[in-house]
């Protein structure tokens, strides 16, 4: 691996750590009565204070049965609402800051107080992290991997909730973003990042691949080298849990190097390790 | 006064092994019976009208191994003596004196758990809402007996602002209270009870209330009923005219409402939360005399409620039962076949959320275990996985035996397991037929045969749900074998419903249309190559996925069907449409049957 490549990965790793640090800091400050809007603002302010000026998307916060996207029909329902947190309620913080031109997109699932069902969902996400990495290394088509994740969820007894995301994606490509003094966003998504995604989509359309990892035909291709923000999202009767982190896919012939998780020192991974 | 009938009553109490004692209070003697270890929490059972403490014999026997169970004959009933004169001797104040005297005698140091049925519940409401009993009652389970004060307010509210609905409620309860008016006439009730009515009462109970015969009612009945008329005369008019405004319960209350009660409307309890905070509601599909007809269910609910309010309470089991069905299914035993996925799993979860105990049966042991594990996490007090093939008669017999001995008698049975088979009749081999009939039809037959028999033998009601299909009445050239099996299930359910109706066991057939489950990915397609079969499976799965009707909605229909005791329930619009056509335009269905499926 070249030095430039290593430096680039380090940049992504740093911003992903920053994003997870933000999620953990905000999660620790959540109390009964806090609204989704307040939680989203806390994330925004925390990251602004640490130099974040642009976003892939503005921070989201979902509480209670909104973690499982119960009754979601239109994309506007993803935006934070006045729903207040209560004891025992699950929550998800989803944030995607751009820092020094590097993008991260992370999802943090937590719960206010003990909730055994939520713990079970979180524990069951581990199998999905392993399955995705294994099948990406096998260079299976993204659509097939999507279907395998779907089947595993059904076998576990859960519903696939990433299907509710735009285009039903389980993952999307992320990339470096040019730093501009003015970085507007539309519908919560940074214009610079959207531009990058649109460019990828255009190129991909010509070459037969897509930056969106979906259940549809346009994702019927082997994994494309690059950085993918992978976000399997489980739902079970009003309780939802997800993780989101960066998967690095390269064109190396060595299976180990052909795909790997950017960072293995993340809250959900540490949690699984502690449980063992 | 002498109690000629009382002596006989003592010999056939049905309270085997009970220790008797007499408590003197206010010039009368109360006959008190005790069962179980006095060191355990005390459960005090108060009987109604026209009854004596023996009405509780079956419930008391079931509680005695866990609790110190105390029963007493209310003054003037059973072997307790009656006040002289009778008029003015049955006021709620005097009945409260009796209760306190009994409670002090049997449990001087600890508060008692009160359980009342009918007039026992009416007077217990008085005990639990007056100040002088505070600290003497740990919990109260009420069945079929409202507080007269609450009733007074209930009537006043409805009479003061009689909207059509409120007027309807008032008239409905007014019609159910016919016997109260009769009891207010002088002498006549006494003459009737000591004469022909007293003689015929056991037969009437058996025929109308479906109470099994035997030692109940006891031979003191005419005397009890004649004296008990004063319960009404001394209290009803006075309390309804001037209901107390401070009748708030000072102990936790559990309300058990029989839905088929001929004397009390369910609406009476609509505003009860304002009088009894943290009220726990239970409903039971039964008639008025639940202590005789549903002793198992009562003992289980009383036991759970008592334990929850003893020191320490129950251990935390995760999520509390919730949702509209919790009051009906809490603590019941529900067995679901084919519970490793699809409709079966969703049904098991829906029952688990309502607080039922779950037995998840499936060929796929791992999937069934998974269902049981998640069921425990969302509210089931207990859940077990039982691997079994429903088509295997012997395996099912072993299963039925194991379930009965280890978990109890099933309250709700859901025969859901089924497999798909598609292809022309002429391409379907005898082997294919056997396979699909074994699971889809014989599975249901074995389930109904074995578990239905257990339900009927217990004689305390229950419900059987068979998952048929819209294919049961929608012919199709693509599904001859599958449709045949499901049509058989539908007819079996209808016949069984007729047979078991007399025993309080309901049977429902659910007919879903296209539901997004993995039945499509395991279905067998006859008369095609392996690759073609695989292609068709994928295609059907995709089509069902596009239709995307969730199994959770079918599960919801199952619970609703049990609560409402519905006979046939089509689920999904296409199933309802086909059902309608099958009655009014069967020709259209026959035309549809000829259409080639888009595979």
């Amino acid at each position: 691996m070249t030095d430039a490549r290593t430096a680039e990965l380090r940049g992504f790793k740093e911003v992903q750590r920053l994003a997870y640090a933000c999620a953990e800091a905000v999660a620790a400050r959540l109390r009964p009565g806090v609204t989704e809007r307040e939680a989203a603002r806390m994330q925004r302010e925390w990251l602004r204070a640490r130099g974040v000026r642009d976003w892939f998307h503005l921070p989201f916060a979902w509480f209670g049965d909104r973690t499982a996207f119960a009754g979601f029909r239109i994309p506007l329902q993803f935006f934070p609402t006045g729903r207040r947190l209560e004891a025992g309620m699950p929550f998800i913080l989803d944030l995607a800051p751009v820092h020094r031109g590097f993008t991260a997109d992370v999802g943090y699932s937590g719960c206010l107080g003990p909730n055994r069902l939520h713990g079970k969902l979180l524990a069951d996400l581990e199998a999905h992290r392993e399955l995705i990495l294994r099948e990406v290394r096998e260079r299976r088509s993204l659509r097939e991997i999507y279907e395998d994740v779907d089947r595993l969820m059904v076998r576990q007894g859960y519903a696939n909730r990433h299907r509710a995301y735009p285009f039903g994606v389980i993952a999307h490509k992320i990339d470096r973003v040019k730093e501009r003094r003015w970085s507007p966003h539309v519908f919560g998504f940074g214009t610079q990042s959207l531009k990058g995604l649109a460019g990828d989509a255009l190129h991909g359309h010509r070459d037969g691949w897509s930056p969106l990892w979906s259940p549809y035909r346009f994702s019927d291709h082997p994994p494309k080298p690059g950085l993918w923000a992978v976000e399997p999202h489980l739902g079970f009767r009003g309780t939802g849990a997800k993780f989101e982190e960066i998967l690095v896919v390269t064109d190396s012939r060595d299976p180990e190097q052909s795909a790997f998780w950017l960072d293995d020192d993340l809250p959900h991974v540490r949690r699984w390790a502690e449980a063992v | 006064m002498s109690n000629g009938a009382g002596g006989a009553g003592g010999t056939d109490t049905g309270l085997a092994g009970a220790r008797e004692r007499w408590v003197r209070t206010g010039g009368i003697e109360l006959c008190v019976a005790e069962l179980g270890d006095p060191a355990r929490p005390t459960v005090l059972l108060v009987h109604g009208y026209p009854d004596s403490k023996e009405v509780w014999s079956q419930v008391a026997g079931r509680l005695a191994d866990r609790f110190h169970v105390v029963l007493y004959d209310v003054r003037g009933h059973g072997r307790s003596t009656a006040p002289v004169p009778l008029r003015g001797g049955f006021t709620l104040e005097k009945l409260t004196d009796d209760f306190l005297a009994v409670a002090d005698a049997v449990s001087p140091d600890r508060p008692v758990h009160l359980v009342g049925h009918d007039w026992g519940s009416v007077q217990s409401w008085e005990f639990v809402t007056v100040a002088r009993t505070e600290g003497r009652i740990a919990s109260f389970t009420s069945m079929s007996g409202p507080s007269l004060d609450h009733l007074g307010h209930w009537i006043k509210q409805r009479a003061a602002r009689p909207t059509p609905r409120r007027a309807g409620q008032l008239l409905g309860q007014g019609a159910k209270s016919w016997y109260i008016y009769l009891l207010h006439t002088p002498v006549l009730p006494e003459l009737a009870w000591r004469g022909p009515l007293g003689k015929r009462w056991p037969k009437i109970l058996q025929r109308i209330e479906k109470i099994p015969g035997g030692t109940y009612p006891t031979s003191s009945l005419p005397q009890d009923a004649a004296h008990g008329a004063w319960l009404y005369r001394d209290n009803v008019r006075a309390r309804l005219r001037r209901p107390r405004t401070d009748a708030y319960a000072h102990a936790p209350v559990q309300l058990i409402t029989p839905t088929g009660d001929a004397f009390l409307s369910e609406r009476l309890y609509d505003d009860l939360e304002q009088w009894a905070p943290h009220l726990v509601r239970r409903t039971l599909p039964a008639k008025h005399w639940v202590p005789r007809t549903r002793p198992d269910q009562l003992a289980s609910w009383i036991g759970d409620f008592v334990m929850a309010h003893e020191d320490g309470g129950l251990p935390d089991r995760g999520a509390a039962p919730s949702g509209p069905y919790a009051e009906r299914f809490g603590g019941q035993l529900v067995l679901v076949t084919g519970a490793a996925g699809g409709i079966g799993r969703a049904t098991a979860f829906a029952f688990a959320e309502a607080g039922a105990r779950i037995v998840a049966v499936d060929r796929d042991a791992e999937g069934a275990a998974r269902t049981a594990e998640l069921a425990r996490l969302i509210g089931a007090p207990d859940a077990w996985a039982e691997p079994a093939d429903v088509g295997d008669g012997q395996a099912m017999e072993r299963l039925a035996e194991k379930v009965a001995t280890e978990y109890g008698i099933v309250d709700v049975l859901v025969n859901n397991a089924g497999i798909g088979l598609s292809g022309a009749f002429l391409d379907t081999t005898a082997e294919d037929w056997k396979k699909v009939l074994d699971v889809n039809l014989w599975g249901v037959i074995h389930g109904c045969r074995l578990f239905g028999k257990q339900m009927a033998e217990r004689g305390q009601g229950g419900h059987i749900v068979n998952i048929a299909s819209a294919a049961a009445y929608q012919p199709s050239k693509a599904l001859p074998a599958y449709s045949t099996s499901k049509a058989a299930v539908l007819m079996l359910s209808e016949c069984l419903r007729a047979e078991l109706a007399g025993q309080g066991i309901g049977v429902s057939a659910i007919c879903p249309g296209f539901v997004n489950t993995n039945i499509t990915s395991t279905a067998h397609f006859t008369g095609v190559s392996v690759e073609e079969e695989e292609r068709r499976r994928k295609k059907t799965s995709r089509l069902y996925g596009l239709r995307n009707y969730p199994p959770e909605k079918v599960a919801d229909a199952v619970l609703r069907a049990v609560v409402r005791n519905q006979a046939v329930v089509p689920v999904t619009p296409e199933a309802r449409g086909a059902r309608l056509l099958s009655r009014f335009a069967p020709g259209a269905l026959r035309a549809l049957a000829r259409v080639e499926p888009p595979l």
Side-chain angles (χ1 to χ4, degrees):
Chain A
M1 210 183 297
T2 63
D3 284 349
R5 180 94 184 131
T6 319
E8 193 180 67
L9 286 186
R10 197 184 310 125
F12 279 107
K13 202 165 176 168
E14 271 166 16
V15 63
Q16 179 165 283
R17 289 222 166 154
L18 182 72
Y20 264 109
C22 167
E24 286 189 303
V26 170
R29 282 167 56 201
L30 292 181
R31 296 282 176 273
V34 173
T35 65
E36 289 181 353
R37 284 201 193 92
E38 285 164 358
R41 191 179 316 123
M42 279 150 77
Q43 298 174 56
R44 226 161 45 227
E45 282 166 1
W46 196 94
L47 287 167
R48 282 249 164 81
R50 282 153 187 83
V52 170
R53 290 290 171 270
D54 194 6
W55 308 86
F56 180 81
H57 63 69
L58 290 174
F60 290 105
W62 302 301
F63 293 170
D65 66 357
R66 282 175 48 83
T67 56
F69 301 150
F72 277 34
R73 301 230 179 279
I74 53 166
L76 285 178
Q77 287 173 295
F78 285 105
F79 289 108
T81 65
R83 166 77 63 95
R84 287 181 188 281
L85 198 59
E86 292 164 21
M89 240 189 200
F91 61 82
I92 294 178
L93 306 176
D94 190 314
L95 56 158
V98 176
H99 190 48
R100 292 184 193 136
F102 295 100
T103 312
D105 192 348
V106 310
Y108 180 90
S109 301
C111 197
L112 198 65
N115 180 331
R116 283 164 55 204
L117 176 61
H118 187 258
K120 181 77 191 154
L121 262 84
L122 276 187
D124 286 335
L125 275 170
E126 186 176 10
H128 292 278
R129 195 173 186 264
E130 285 163 6
L131 174 84
I132 291 167
L133 182 61
R134 189 173 64 244
E135 299 205 344
V136 168
R137 281 178 177 167
E138 288 167 7
R139 286 296 188 260
R140 304 271 295 275
S141 120
L142 293 184
R143 191 189 193 188
E144 273 174 44
I145 302 177
Y146 189 104
E147 282 166 2
D148 283 345
V149 170
D150 225 17
R151 266 192 282 277
L152 177 56
M153 285 186 179
V154 168
R155 210 161 53 241
Q156 287 176 330
Y158 302 136
N160 162 357
R161 291 319 292 152
H162 46 262
R163 186 142 228 155
Y165 293 129
F167 303 101
V169 294
I170 188 175
H172 54 84
K173 267 198 81 178
I174 54 169
D175 222 326
R176 296 191 64 164
V177 172
K178 279 208 184 90
E179 283 183 285
R180 293 281 160 86
R181 241 182 310 173
W182 188 55
S183 46
H185 36 81
V186 287
F187 291 113
F189 284 82
T191 45
Q192 296 295 329
S193 305
L194 280 184
K195 214 167 80 184
L197 210 54
D200 270 352
L202 192 67
H203 290 124
H205 185 66
R206 288 185 196 139
D207 305 342
W209 63 276
S210 165
L212 300 174
W213 182 341
S214 77
Y216 305 115
R217 203 168 299 148
F218 61 74
S219 289
D220 210 355
H221 60 81
K224 178 86 183 161
L227 274 69
W228 292 82
V230 183
E231 45 182 337
H233 192 143
L234 305 176
F236 184 60
R237 308 186 85 86
T239 304
K242 71 178 281 190
F243 69 79
E244 181 165 13
E245 56 172 304
I246 297 175
L247 177 72
V248 185
V249 180
T250 68
D251 44 15
S252 161
R253 279 161 190 267
D254 175 11
E256 293 276 310
Q257 285 302 317
S258 71
F260 53 89
W261 296 103
L262 178 63
D263 192 352
D264 275 325
D265 190 18
L266 297 178
H268 50 276
V269 186
R270 284 198 296 270
R271 192 191 150 96
W272 295 327
E274 280 162 21
V276 169
Chain B
M1 75 171 277
S2 74
N3 255 310
T11 55
D12 60 355
T13 55
L15 292 168
R19 306 178 293 277
E20 276 193 6
R21 67 158 98 184
W22 296 83
V23 173
R24 285 180 186 75
T25 165
I28 58 162
E29 289 196 327
L30 297 173
C31 177
V32 180
E34 288 175 77
L35 292 136
D37 180 1
R40 301 279 178 92
T42 302
V43 178
L44 184 58
L45 307 170
V46 190
H47 70 80
Y49 173 88
D51 277 321
S52 57
K53 63 179 182 307
E54 283 71 26
V55 72
W56 286 116
S57 59
Q58 296 184 356
V59 177
R62 285 164 172 81
L63 290 171
D65 53 344
R66 288 191 286 163
F67 303 108
H68 174 215
V69 183
V70 180
L71 317 89
Y72 70 97
D73 286 322
V74 174
R75 50 171 59 201
H77 295 70
R79 293 161 67 205
S80 296
T81 59
V84 185
L86 290 168
R87 179 190 295 272
F90 287 86
T91 56
L92 286 169
E93 289 74 21
K94 291 186 175 165
L95 296 170
T96 310
D97 293 339
D98 292 353
F99 159 71
L100 281 173
V102 173
D104 287 342
V106 296
S107 174
D109 313 318
R110 293 164 70 189
V112 299
H113 297 272
L114 195 56
V115 180
H117 171 248
D118 189 85
W119 249 94
S121 168
V122 175
Q123 47 178 306
S124 295
W125 271 112
E126 172 80 2
F127 309 160
V128 87
T129 55
V130 293
R132 61 187 170 127
T133 57
E134 223 161 311
R136 297 298 295 133
I137 301 172
S139 77
F140 168 40
T141 299
S142 161
M143 47 197 100
S144 297
S147 156
L148 290 181
D149 300 303
H150 301 167
L151 179 61
H153 289 293
W154 187 88
I155 293 172
K156 279 196 172 163
Q157 273 172 10
R158 278 153 186 77
R161 286 192 56 207
T163 60
R165 171 178 299 179
R166 290 170 148 210
Q169 293 177 354
L170 204 54
L171 291 175
Q173 180 56 47
K176 289 183 172 200
S177 302
W178 55 270
Y179 66 102
I180 299 183
Y181 317 138
L182 292 183
L183 282 167
H184 278 83
T185 57
V187 192
L188 281 177
E190 279 89 340
L191 284 178
W193 279 115
R194 290 188 204 275
L197 185 56
K199 201 172 288 168
R200 303 224 173 97
W201 188 244
K203 279 269 173 330
I204 294 175
L205 281 185
Q206 268 180 49
R207 213 176 55 232
I208 299 180
E209 288 285 326
K210 311 277 186 221
I211 294 178
T215 57
Y216 173 86
T218 58
S219 48
S220 64
L221 170 81
Q223 186 93 326
D224 302 342
H227 286 159
W230 287 99
L231 288 168
Y232 293 87
R233 294 169 186 163
D234 276 350
N235 297 301
V236 172
R237 271 177 301 173
R239 285 302 174 102
L240 294 193
R241 205 174 296 144
R242 269 183 298 279
R244 285 163 50 212
T245 52
D246 61 344
Y248 297 99
H250 51 65
V253 181
Q254 167 173 246
L255 176 77
I256 299 176
T257 315
T259 51
D261 199 319
F263 309 107
L264 295 155
S265 155
E266 285 178 69
R267 299 276 74 79
L268 282 179
Y269 310 108
D270 281 353
D271 317 322
L272 202 53
E273 268 84 1
Q274 79 181 78
W275 300 107
H278 310 298
L279 178 75
V280 175
R281 288 176 182 268
R282 307 279 191 195
T283 56
L284 196 55
K287 298 195 170 191
H288 180 76
W289 265 273
V290 279
R292 301 308 301 181
T293 55
R294 300 286 185 270
D296 281 346
Q297 186 63 71
L298 292 193
S300 134
W301 280 341
I302 293 168
D304 286 350
F305 195 65
V306 168
M307 288 319 290
H309 294 96
E310 265 303 303
D311 302 333
L314 289 175
D316 178 35
R317 285 161 168 167
S322 59
Y325 300 116
E327 53 189 71
R328 171 72 162 73
F329 297 114
Q332 294 208 324
L333 185 64
V334 177
L335 185 140
V336 184
T337 67
I343 295 174
R345 187 176 251 178
T347 304
F349 289 157
F351 276 111
E353 250 175 5
R357 298 176 298 140
I358 307 292
V359 183
V361 177
D362 204 292
R363 270 193 302 204
D364 169 8
E366 198 186 318
R370 181 84 198 171
T371 302
E373 185 186 6
L374 289 177
R376 276 192 297 270
L377 287 175
I378 57 173
D382 240 325
W384 306 274
E386 290 294 341
D389 180 354
V390 293
D392 179 346
Q394 286 177 341
M396 286 297 277
E397 263 167 45
R398 282 195 299 277
L399 173 72
E401 215 177 285
K402 183 178 177 195
V403 169
T405 51
E406 292 186 14
Y407 317 136
I409 305 295
V410 173
D411 294 298
V412 180
L413 167 69
V414 183
N415 286 310
N416 159 76
I419 53 173
L421 177 67
S422 175
F425 171 78
L426 293 179
D427 293 332
T428 309
T429 63
E431 193 67 16
D432 293 333
W433 272 100
K434 188 174 161 2
K435 227 188 238 167
V436 75
L437 289 182
D438 268 355
V439 177
N440 291 9
L441 179 56
W442 275 103
V444 176
I445 294 175
H446 288 315
C448 294
R449 186 171 66 85
L450 298 161
F451 293 102
K453 192 172 173 199
Q454 291 178 0
M455 276 183 205
E457 277 172 359
R458 177 177 66 163
Q460 298 184 35
H463 204 102
I464 298 175
V465 180
N466 294 329
I467 308 293
S469 164
Y473 45 78
Q474 160 72 68
S476 155
K477 69 184 211 177
L479 297 166
Y482 181 78
S483 304
T484 306
S485 71
K486 290 301 186 180
V489 169
L490 181 59
M491 185 48 85
L492 170 66
S493 310
E494 297 256 37
C495 295
L496 200 59
R497 183 180 172 86
E499 180 178 335
L500 296 178
Q503 301 174 58
I505 300 173
V507 181
S508 304
I510 312 290
C511 302
F514 302 108
V515 179
N516 189 12
T517 70
N518 63 357
I519 192 170
T520 47
S521 56
T522 55
H524 180 44
F525 291 78
T526 60
V528 291
S529 64
V530 178
E531 296 83 47
E532 174 64 10
E533 182 175 20
E534 195 49 45
R535 195 193 65 77
R536 288 191 181 188
R537 274 184 191 152
K538 275 201 170 149
K539 186 80 192 280
T540 354
S541 300
R542 193 151 293 156
L543 287 175
Y544 274 56
L546 281 175
R547 171 75 186 83
N548 203 17
Y549 195 91
E552 284 76 17
K553 282 197 183 177
V554 186
D556 215 44
V558 170
L559 270 72
R560 202 164 45 238
V562 177
V563 169
R564 298 185 186 168
N565 192 15
Q566 290 166 301
V568 180
V569 185
V571 188
T572 74
E574 64 270 17
R576 278 199 297 275
R579 175 94 176 142
L580 209 67
L581 286 181
S582 74
R583 293 159 123 193
F584 299 109
L589 281 194
R590 285 181 202 122
L592 267 178
R594 297 181 178 203
V595 174
E596 190 72 43
L599 289 180

